[in-house]
Amino acid sequence: PIVGFRVPMYDRVLDLAASLARRTPEAPYVGWDIAVTADGPVVIEGNHNSGVFQSKPSVSGIRRGLLPRYRAAMRF
């Protein structure tokens, strides 16, 4: 948390995320990237693997993330 910070238009962000979830019932889990603009929240993208199940560096001490897996999958 950032003490004293409040996400602008948070209620509208939640409404947008709920609307997106209703429009994509075939996807049981989506990590929506939403930006708050002067005109309101907008969708950047939706990700089926948003990393919620990935151990964070602050917990695991591992700081390489998924890059090695992506490179191996792409044979890069």
Side-chain angles (χ1 to χ4, degrees):
I2 300 173
V3 176
F5 179 78
R6 298 184 79 136
V7 176
M9 300 181 231
Y10 190 65
D11 57 334
R12 291 178 61 187
V13 170
L14 294 179
D15 289 344
L16 176 57
S19 172
L20 293 165
R22 286 190 293 276
R23 291 175 64 180
T24 55
E26 66 280 0
Y29 177 84
V30 178
W32 296 108
D33 293 343
I34 298 175
V36 178
T37 72
D39 296 324
V42 296
V43 178
I44 298 170
E45 65 181 357
N47 298 289
H48 72 282
N49 63 340
S50 68
V52 71
F53 300 110
Q54 180 180 348
S55 295
K56 303 300 180 206
S58 58
V59 174
S60 68
I62 299 169
R63 301 198 182 279
R64 64 182 180 270
L66 294 175
L67 184 58
R69 286 186 183 181
Y70 291 142
R71 283 186 171 163
M74 295 183 296
R75 296 185 175 93
F76 178 73

